[in-house]
Amino acid sequence: EIEYINAGHNPPLFYNKEENTSIMLSEGCMGIGMFDEIPKMNLGVLKVSKGSKLICYTDGIAELENPQNEQFGTQPMVDCMVKDKGINLVIDEIIDTLDQYRGDNDYFDDISIMGIEFH
């Protein structure tokens, strides 16, 4: 089981292998640093099974546009996560998919991605 609080960032993506489900980890609070005090925090709790995966990413990935000005979004990352591959190969596939998606467009923002696979 893991507990989390999303502090106003892109919600991480979680794939539960046992249940074959994926969710966005959005429980939390307003963005850290926006105000001096945070009036309320919602704690997220979820069950983790062997083989589950977690992807944390920056908005530069989700907001990357293709030549038709369509954003990459999160579904391509979920599509990679559900495959029976180790997390390193999942991240490699996400990066390859990003490169193909953007075509000749430049990266306009930073891109960072971190993946965890639970054993």
PDB file of all heavy atoms in Angstrom, residues 17-39:
ATOM      1  N   LYS A  17      -1.191  -3.999 -11.883  1.00  0.00           N
ATOM      2  CA  LYS A  17      -1.125  -5.172 -12.755  1.00  0.00           C
ATOM      3  C   LYS A  17      -2.151  -6.237 -12.364  1.00  0.00           C
ATOM      4  O   LYS A  17      -2.795  -6.824 -13.229  1.00  0.00           O
ATOM      5  CB  LYS A  17       0.278  -5.767 -12.742  1.00  0.00           C
ATOM      6  CG  LYS A  17       0.415  -6.927 -13.699  1.00  0.00           C
ATOM      7  CD  LYS A  17       1.828  -7.426 -13.791  1.00  0.00           C
ATOM      8  CE  LYS A  17       1.905  -8.553 -14.811  1.00  0.00           C
ATOM      9  NZ  LYS A  17       3.266  -9.000 -15.016  1.00  0.00           N
ATOM     10  N   GLU A  18      -2.308  -6.465 -11.070  1.00  0.00           N
ATOM     11  CA  GLU A  18      -3.231  -7.505 -10.608  1.00  0.00           C
ATOM     12  C   GLU A  18      -4.671  -7.226 -11.055  1.00  0.00           C
ATOM     13  O   GLU A  18      -5.397  -8.126 -11.453  1.00  0.00           O
ATOM     14  CB  GLU A  18      -3.171  -7.604  -9.086  1.00  0.00           C
ATOM     15  CG  GLU A  18      -4.033  -8.689  -8.492  1.00  0.00           C
ATOM     16  CD  GLU A  18      -3.847  -8.763  -6.983  1.00  0.00           C
ATOM     17  OE1 GLU A  18      -2.779  -9.244  -6.548  1.00  0.00           O
ATOM     18  OE2 GLU A  18      -4.756  -8.324  -6.258  1.00  0.00           O
ATOM     19  N   GLU A  19      -5.075  -5.958 -10.987  1.00  0.00           N
ATOM     20  CA  GLU A  19      -6.441  -5.579 -11.350  1.00  0.00           C
ATOM     21  C   GLU A  19      -6.555  -5.131 -12.811  1.00  0.00           C
ATOM     22  O   GLU A  19      -7.649  -4.877 -13.296  1.00  0.00           O
ATOM     23  CB  GLU A  19      -6.937  -4.475 -10.420  1.00  0.00           C
ATOM     24  CG  GLU A  19      -7.015  -4.919  -8.972  1.00  0.00           C
ATOM     25  CD  GLU A  19      -7.385  -3.795  -8.023  1.00  0.00           C
ATOM     26  OE1 GLU A  19      -7.671  -2.671  -8.496  1.00  0.00           O
ATOM     27  OE2 GLU A  19      -7.387  -4.038  -6.803  1.00  0.00           O
ATOM     28  N   ASN A  20      -5.415  -4.989 -13.480  1.00  0.00           N
ATOM     29  CA  ASN A  20      -5.362  -4.499 -14.861  1.00  0.00           C
ATOM     30  C   ASN A  20      -6.114  -3.172 -15.018  1.00  0.00           C
ATOM     31  O   ASN A  20      -6.938  -3.001 -15.909  1.00  0.00           O
ATOM     32  CB  ASN A  20      -5.892  -5.547 -15.844  1.00  0.00           C
ATOM     33  CG  ASN A  20      -5.534  -5.212 -17.277  1.00  0.00           C
ATOM     34  OD1 ASN A  20      -4.517  -4.576 -17.543  1.00  0.00           O
ATOM     35  ND2 ASN A  20      -6.384  -5.613 -18.204  1.00  0.00           N
ATOM     36  N   THR A  21      -5.817  -2.246 -14.094  1.00  0.00           N
ATOM     37  CA  THR A  21      -6.442  -0.925 -14.123  1.00  0.00           C
ATOM     38  C   THR A  21      -5.375   0.155 -14.039  1.00  0.00           C
ATOM     39  O   THR A  21      -4.298  -0.057 -13.477  1.00  0.00           O
ATOM     40  CB  THR A  21      -7.412  -0.740 -12.940  1.00  0.00           C
ATOM     41  OG1 THR A  21      -6.702  -0.935 -11.706  1.00  0.00           O
ATOM     42  CG2 THR A  21      -8.581  -1.707 -13.019  1.00  0.00           C
ATOM     43  N   SER A  22      -5.674   1.309 -14.583  1.00  0.00           N
ATOM     44  CA  SER A  22      -4.767   2.451 -14.467  1.00  0.00           C
ATOM     45  C   SER A  22      -5.560   3.655 -13.974  1.00  0.00           C
ATOM     46  O   SER A  22      -6.727   3.828 -14.333  1.00  0.00           O
ATOM     47  CB  SER A  22      -4.085   2.756 -15.803  1.00  0.00           C
ATOM     48  OG  SER A  22      -5.038   3.050 -16.782  1.00  0.00           O
ATOM     49  N   ILE A  23      -4.909   4.451 -13.121  1.00  0.00           N
ATOM     50  CA  ILE A  23      -5.541   5.656 -12.584  1.00  0.00           C
ATOM     51  C   ILE A  23      -4.516   6.778 -12.521  1.00  0.00           C
ATOM     52  O   ILE A  23      -3.311   6.543 -12.560  1.00  0.00           O
ATOM     53  CB  ILE A  23      -6.142   5.424 -11.181  1.00  0.00           C
ATOM     54  CG1 ILE A  23      -5.058   5.015 -10.169  1.00  0.00           C
ATOM     55  CG2 ILE A  23      -7.273   4.408 -11.220  1.00  0.00           C
ATOM     56  CD1 ILE A  23      -5.531   5.028  -8.730  1.00  0.00           C
ATOM     57  N   MET A  24      -5.043   7.993 -12.409  1.00  0.00           N
ATOM     58  CA  MET A  24      -4.204   9.160 -12.185  1.00  0.00           C
ATOM     59  C   MET A  24      -4.242   9.453 -10.685  1.00  0.00           C
ATOM     60  O   MET A  24      -5.316   9.476 -10.083  1.00  0.00           O
ATOM     61  CB  MET A  24      -4.727  10.349 -12.978  1.00  0.00           C
ATOM     62  CG  MET A  24      -4.694  10.118 -14.473  1.00  0.00           C
ATOM     63  SD  MET A  24      -5.409  11.497 -15.378  1.00  0.00           S
ATOM     64  CE  MET A  24      -3.906  12.383 -15.748  1.00  0.00           C
ATOM     65  N   LEU A  25      -3.082   9.689 -10.105  1.00  0.00           N
ATOM     66  CA  LEU A  25      -3.003   9.955  -8.668  1.00  0.00           C
ATOM     67  C   LEU A  25      -3.196  11.447  -8.416  1.00  0.00           C
ATOM     68  O   LEU A  25      -2.243  12.212  -8.330  1.00  0.00           O
ATOM     69  CB  LEU A  25      -1.659   9.466  -8.104  1.00  0.00           C
ATOM     70  CG  LEU A  25      -1.329   7.995  -8.366  1.00  0.00           C
ATOM     71  CD1 LEU A  25      -0.057   7.599  -7.654  1.00  0.00           C
ATOM     72  CD2 LEU A  25      -2.476   7.092  -7.976  1.00  0.00           C
ATOM     73  N   SER A  26      -4.435  11.853  -8.300  1.00  0.00           N
ATOM     74  CA  SER A  26      -4.750  13.278  -8.225  1.00  0.00           C
ATOM     75  C   SER A  26      -5.153  13.758  -6.835  1.00  0.00           C
ATOM     76  O   SER A  26      -5.289  14.968  -6.627  1.00  0.00           O
ATOM     77  CB  SER A  26      -5.855  13.619  -9.226  1.00  0.00           C
ATOM     78  OG  SER A  26      -6.989  12.814  -8.994  1.00  0.00           O
ATOM     79  N   GLU A  27      -5.335  12.848  -5.886  1.00  0.00           N
ATOM     80  CA  GLU A  27      -5.674  13.286  -4.529  1.00  0.00           C
ATOM     81  C   GLU A  27      -4.547  14.140  -3.978  1.00  0.00           C
ATOM     82  O   GLU A  27      -3.381  13.829  -4.157  1.00  0.00           O
ATOM     83  CB  GLU A  27      -5.880  12.078  -3.604  1.00  0.00           C
ATOM     84  CG  GLU A  27      -7.127  11.300  -3.895  1.00  0.00           C
ATOM     85  CD  GLU A  27      -8.401  12.066  -3.594  1.00  0.00           C
ATOM     86  OE1 GLU A  27      -8.444  12.847  -2.622  1.00  0.00           O
ATOM     87  OE2 GLU A  27      -9.361  11.896  -4.355  1.00  0.00           O
ATOM     88  N   GLY A  28      -4.915  15.232  -3.312  1.00  0.00           N
ATOM     89  CA  GLY A  28      -3.858  16.063  -2.761  1.00  0.00           C
ATOM     90  C   GLY A  28      -4.341  17.421  -2.307  1.00  0.00           C
ATOM     91  O   GLY A  28      -5.347  17.532  -1.598  1.00  0.00           O
ATOM     92  N   CYS A  29      -3.641  18.436  -2.765  1.00  0.00           N
ATOM     93  CA  CYS A  29      -3.917  19.796  -2.320  1.00  0.00           C
ATOM     94  C   CYS A  29      -3.548  20.765  -3.442  1.00  0.00           C
ATOM     95  O   CYS A  29      -3.110  20.361  -4.505  1.00  0.00           O
ATOM     96  CB  CYS A  29      -3.110  20.109  -1.067  1.00  0.00           C
ATOM     97  SG  CYS A  29      -1.315  20.050  -1.312  1.00  0.00           S
ATOM     98  N   MET A  30      -3.740  22.040  -3.131  1.00  0.00           N
ATOM     99  CA  MET A  30      -3.330  23.071  -4.096  1.00  0.00           C
ATOM    100  C   MET A  30      -1.815  23.010  -4.272  1.00  0.00           C
ATOM    101  O   MET A  30      -1.124  22.363  -3.499  1.00  0.00           O
ATOM    102  CB  MET A  30      -3.751  24.445  -3.609  1.00  0.00           C
ATOM    103  CG  MET A  30      -3.007  24.899  -2.372  1.00  0.00           C
ATOM    104  SD  MET A  30      -3.485  26.522  -1.794  1.00  0.00           S
ATOM    105  CE  MET A  30      -5.115  26.205  -1.190  1.00  0.00           C
ATOM    106  N   GLY A  31      -1.320  23.688  -5.283  1.00  0.00           N
ATOM    107  CA  GLY A  31       0.107  23.660  -5.575  1.00  0.00           C
ATOM    108  C   GLY A  31       0.958  24.202  -4.445  1.00  0.00           C
ATOM    109  O   GLY A  31       0.664  25.258  -3.876  1.00  0.00           O
ATOM    110  N   ILE A  32       1.998  23.466  -4.122  1.00  0.00           N
ATOM    111  CA  ILE A  32       2.947  23.904  -3.101  1.00  0.00           C
ATOM    112  C   ILE A  32       3.581  25.212  -3.554  1.00  0.00           C
ATOM    113  O   ILE A  32       3.980  25.367  -4.704  1.00  0.00           O
ATOM    114  CB  ILE A  32       4.045  22.835  -2.890  1.00  0.00           C
ATOM    115  CG1 ILE A  32       3.459  21.564  -2.301  1.00  0.00           C
ATOM    116  CG2 ILE A  32       5.193  23.346  -2.041  1.00  0.00           C
ATOM    117  CD1 ILE A  32       3.012  21.674  -0.865  1.00  0.00           C
ATOM    118  N   GLY A  33       3.648  26.166  -2.630  1.00  0.00           N
ATOM    119  CA  GLY A  33       4.270  27.451  -2.918  1.00  0.00           C
ATOM    120  C   GLY A  33       3.311  28.505  -3.445  1.00  0.00           C
ATOM    121  O   GLY A  33       3.697  29.657  -3.620  1.00  0.00           O
ATOM    122  N   MET A  34       2.060  28.133  -3.704  1.00  0.00           N
ATOM    123  CA  MET A  34       1.088  29.106  -4.221  1.00  0.00           C
ATOM    124  C   MET A  34       0.592  30.039  -3.117  1.00  0.00           C
ATOM    125  O   MET A  34       0.286  31.196  -3.373  1.00  0.00           O
ATOM    126  CB  MET A  34      -0.094  28.385  -4.873  1.00  0.00           C
ATOM    127  CG  MET A  34       0.299  27.622  -6.135  1.00  0.00           C
ATOM    128  SD  MET A  34      -1.073  26.697  -6.843  1.00  0.00           S
ATOM    129  CE  MET A  34      -2.093  28.014  -7.461  1.00  0.00           C
ATOM    130  N   PHE A  35       0.483  29.520  -1.891  1.00  0.00           N
ATOM    131  CA  PHE A  35      -0.002  30.289  -0.751  1.00  0.00           C
ATOM    132  C   PHE A  35       0.861  29.985   0.465  1.00  0.00           C
ATOM    133  O   PHE A  35       1.533  28.948   0.515  1.00  0.00           O
ATOM    134  CB  PHE A  35      -1.475  29.934  -0.449  1.00  0.00           C
ATOM    135  CG  PHE A  35      -2.410  30.254  -1.593  1.00  0.00           C
ATOM    136  CD1 PHE A  35      -2.779  29.271  -2.494  1.00  0.00           C
ATOM    137  CD2 PHE A  35      -2.899  31.545  -1.770  1.00  0.00           C
ATOM    138  CE1 PHE A  35      -3.623  29.557  -3.549  1.00  0.00           C
ATOM    139  CE2 PHE A  35      -3.741  31.837  -2.827  1.00  0.00           C
ATOM    140  CZ  PHE A  35      -4.113  30.848  -3.717  1.00  0.00           C
ATOM    141  N   ASP A  36       0.809  30.865   1.464  1.00  0.00           N
ATOM    142  CA  ASP A  36       1.602  30.651   2.677  1.00  0.00           C
ATOM    143  C   ASP A  36       1.117  29.445   3.472  1.00  0.00           C
ATOM    144  O   ASP A  36       1.902  28.767   4.118  1.00  0.00           O
ATOM    145  CB  ASP A  36       1.569  31.894   3.574  1.00  0.00           C
ATOM    146  CG  ASP A  36       2.337  33.061   2.959  1.00  0.00           C
ATOM    147  OD1 ASP A  36       3.223  32.798   2.110  1.00  0.00           O
ATOM    148  OD2 ASP A  36       2.043  34.217   3.302  1.00  0.00           O
ATOM    149  N   GLU A  37      -0.205  29.200   3.445  1.00  0.00           N
ATOM    150  CA  GLU A  37      -0.764  28.070   4.177  1.00  0.00           C
ATOM    151  C   GLU A  37      -1.631  27.234   3.241  1.00  0.00           C
ATOM    152  O   GLU A  37      -2.290  27.763   2.355  1.00  0.00           O
ATOM    153  CB  GLU A  37      -1.615  28.559   5.350  1.00  0.00           C
ATOM    154  CG  GLU A  37      -0.795  29.229   6.429  1.00  0.00           C
ATOM    155  CD  GLU A  37      -1.643  29.598   7.634  1.00  0.00           C
ATOM    156  OE1 GLU A  37      -2.638  28.905   7.905  1.00  0.00           O
ATOM    157  OE2 GLU A  37      -1.299  30.588   8.289  1.00  0.00           O
ATOM    158  N   ILE A  38      -1.628  25.955   3.482  1.00  0.00           N
ATOM    159  CA  ILE A  38      -2.466  25.039   2.707  1.00  0.00           C
ATOM    160  C   ILE A  38      -3.652  24.675   3.591  1.00  0.00           C
ATOM    161  O   ILE A  38      -3.479  24.031   4.632  1.00  0.00           O
ATOM    162  CB  ILE A  38      -1.681  23.777   2.290  1.00  0.00           C
ATOM    163  CG1 ILE A  38      -0.504  24.183   1.390  1.00  0.00           C
ATOM    164  CG2 ILE A  38      -2.591  22.787   1.587  1.00  0.00           C
ATOM    165  CD1 ILE A  38       0.428  23.055   1.060  1.00  0.00           C
ATOM    166  N   PRO A  39      -4.871  25.098   3.201  1.00  0.00           N
ATOM    167  CA  PRO A  39      -6.027  24.884   4.073  1.00  0.00           C
ATOM    168  C   PRO A  39      -6.468  23.428   4.207  1.00  0.00           C
ATOM    169  O   PRO A  39      -7.019  23.037   5.228  1.00  0.00           O
ATOM    170  CB  PRO A  39      -7.126  25.714   3.415  1.00  0.00           C
ATOM    171  CG  PRO A  39      -6.717  25.857   1.998  1.00  0.00           C
ATOM    172  CD  PRO A  39      -5.217  25.823   1.992  1.00  0.00           C
TER     173      PRO A  39
END
